[in-house]
Amino acid sequence: MNIRLRIEKAEKNNLSQYAMLSQNSKGRKSFEEKCTMRTDFQRDRDRIIHSKSFRRLKHKTQVFIAPEGDHFRTRLTHTLEVAQIGRTLARALRLNEDLVEAISLGHDLGHTPFGHTGERVLNELHPRGFNHNEQSIRVVDFLERKDDKIGLNLTYEVREGIINHSGKKTSNTLEGQLVKYSDRIAYINHDIDDAIRAGVIKRESLPKNSVEILGKSHGERINTMILDIIKNSIEKDVIKMSDDVGEATNALRDYMFQNVYLNNNAKSEEYKAEYVIEQLYKYYFKNIDALPQEHLKIYKNIDCDIEDIICDYIAGTTDRYVVNLFNNIFLPKPWQKY
């Protein structure tokens, strides 16, 4: 029995005319025989989940650097919330859930330690700049290794959705467009939740117009955003929000930038994180051979700029790992001979 063919047939019969069918994928960079159980997008999802880069997300900052509280989001829990929102939307709109899930789970694989702080520092240091969505593609195409194979060899549609999940460009698939909205819905709302828990903002300080339109609670706001997207996107060739809900959502996002993302209290440790990343980058630029041999062997017989090698390494570390790395390199060790 070929289960994959049965799933592909069900997709063709049940999904929207605007959905991306697994059988219509543009395929992979390197040819692979089809799986008899899973569609190509299901295989991509599984490869991402089993990757080292995915596991490291559990110790990477979402907003609050290296949070000690058990209930604060990390980059991993953010990713899971994006996937959950995305699948809810995809099912309602009769789009390809597996493609949405694969894009969602892979969209932040290239994120740096210390969240957007780390990304900003590497962007300033690297002559060509650094963006986490582009780094996510570099992770799945080149940096991830299994059984000596280079990259995860993901499908075109998953890779295209990952690189276009942020920035001004729009994905060619509705599934990719949907993930971009899911990402925004997730981070705005869970960052509000975390900021309230941290005492950085108060619930009653949220923009009144946004609260009136979207709802007072975390769940109400997410529900309103999801229902609005469904109402305005069902059986259409584009994913969108209504003007009212879109403006209310953007107002919340602007509020978060002013009061949380750029807040001096919330970001009081940020300058230290910037210093750690900057000093490590400069150290390895002068001492490239000090990088682990396991990392350096990735570039054997490959023409690669030193800046890329360093950024690949630093971006792949977690918050606590990069702090320990800094301590081991720059802080004196006690004399232990007795």
Side-chain angles (χ1 to χ4, degrees):
M1 179 186 296
N2 193 310
I3 298 173
R4 172 183 56 80
L5 291 177
R6 188 180 68 191
I7 296 172
E8 290 178 347
K9 183 178 179 180
E11 286 182 357
K12 187 174 182 179
N13 292 336
N14 299 318
L15 294 186
S16 165
Q17 62 177 316
Y18 301 110
M20 182 65 223
L21 303 182
S22 302
Q23 66 185 43
N24 293 337
S25 170
K26 292 182 180 180
R28 310 177 187 280
K29 283 187 173 182
S30 299
F31 174 79
E32 293 183 21
E33 293 291 344
K34 298 281 187 179
C35 177
T36 58
M37 288 190 302
R38 299 166 296 166
T39 67
D40 285 347
F41 299 146
Q42 289 174 335
R43 294 179 80 184
D44 285 359
R45 173 203 61 202
D46 295 350
R47 290 177 185 187
I48 290 168
I49 287 177
H50 289 285
S51 69
K52 293 188 181 84
S53 300
F54 184 78
R55 295 196 291 275
R56 288 197 298 268
L57 294 177
K58 67 180 177 179
H59 292 303
K60 291 195 177 190
T61 290
Q62 173 57 28
V63 173
F64 297 97
I65 291 176
E68 292 294 334
D70 292 338
H71 299 145
F72 287 100
R73 271 75 170 187
T74 64
R75 190 61 58 174
L76 177 61
T77 56
H78 160 73
T79 294
L80 296 176
E81 290 187 38
V82 173
Q84 177 269 317
I85 292 170
R87 288 192 61 188
T88 297
L89 282 164
R91 185 169 299 184
L93 294 171
R94 296 195 301 125
L95 298 178
N96 196 313
E97 283 186 57
D98 296 322
L99 175 54
V100 167
E101 187 173 26
I103 297 171
S104 298
L105 295 175
H107 82 283
D108 270 354
L109 290 180
H111 232 302
T112 59
F114 307 137
H116 288 287
T117 299
E119 180 180 22
R120 185 177 64 253
V121 175
L122 291 184
N123 184 53
E124 293 170 355
L125 291 170
H126 196 301
R128 294 195 306 274
F130 179 95
N131 294 294
H132 78 273
N133 55 327
E134 294 175 358
Q135 187 67 13
S136 293
I137 291 297
R138 187 165 171 82
V139 167
V140 300
D141 280 357
F142 175 67
L143 294 174
E144 271 293 333
R145 302 296 167 102
K146 186 176 181 181
D147 301 327
D148 294 326
K149 293 181 180 178
I150 298 175
L152 301 180
N153 197 28
L154 303 183
T155 57
Y156 168 85
E157 291 77 17
V158 171
R159 296 173 63 258
E160 192 269 350
I162 288 173
I163 199 166
N164 289 319
H165 84 269
S166 65
K168 295 181 179 180
K169 291 185 178 180
T170 301
S171 175
N172 294 326
T173 66
L174 293 191
E175 287 81 2
Q177 294 176 29
L178 190 151
V179 171
K180 194 167 189 174
Y181 272 102
S182 300
D183 183 34
R184 177 167 289 200
I185 291 171
Y187 77 69
I188 288 174
N189 286 289
H190 65 50
D191 289 354
I192 288 174
D193 193 40
D194 280 356
I196 292 173
R197 178 177 289 107
V200 175
I201 62 173
K202 295 182 178 179
R203 196 180 309 276
E204 53 269 25
S205 70
L206 296 174
K208 291 183 179 179
N209 187 56
S210 292
V211 170
E212 289 175 359
I213 293 173
L214 303 174
K216 295 181 180 179
S217 71
H218 178 79
E220 287 176 352
R221 288 189 294 272
I222 292 178
N223 192 60
T224 299
M225 293 175 185
I226 288 176
L227 289 176
D228 185 73
I229 289 176
I230 293 170
K231 180 181 178 181
N232 289 276
S233 307
I234 194 163
E235 294 305 323
K236 294 181 180 178
D237 63 353
V238 67
I239 303 297
K240 63 180 180 179
M241 282 181 167
S242 66
D243 290 341
D244 287 348
V245 171
E247 289 172 5
T249 301
N250 289 335
L252 266 187
R253 184 174 181 271
D254 292 342
Y255 169 86
M256 290 298 290
F257 267 96
Q258 295 172 11
N259 295 275
V260 178
Y261 304 142
L262 302 178
N263 178 277
N264 290 332
N265 291 328
K267 297 297 182 180
S268 59
E269 297 295 298
E270 192 169 276
Y271 75 96
K272 297 178 185 177
E274 293 173 349
Y275 183 78
V276 167
I277 298 291
E278 182 177 358
Q279 293 308 308
L280 284 173
Y281 182 95
K282 292 179 178 178
Y283 171 80
Y284 285 122
F285 193 85
K286 294 179 180 178
N287 305 276
I288 188 66
D289 290 335
L291 284 168
Q293 288 303 306
E294 184 180 1
H295 181 71
L296 290 175
K297 73 178 182 180
I298 294 175
Y299 309 92
K300 188 178 181 180
N301 301 323
I302 296 175
D303 186 17
C304 193
D305 292 338
I306 187 173
E307 294 90 349
D308 291 330
I309 297 173
I310 297 169
C311 280
D312 287 343
Y313 182 66
I314 293 177
T317 61
T318 62
D319 293 6
R320 62 183 184 181
Y321 183 91
V322 82
V323 169
N324 289 333
L325 190 63
F326 178 88
N327 289 340
N328 289 334
I329 292 174
F330 294 108
L331 297 188
K333 296 176 178 61
W335 181 255
Q336 295 180 342
K337 187 175 182 179
Y338 296 100

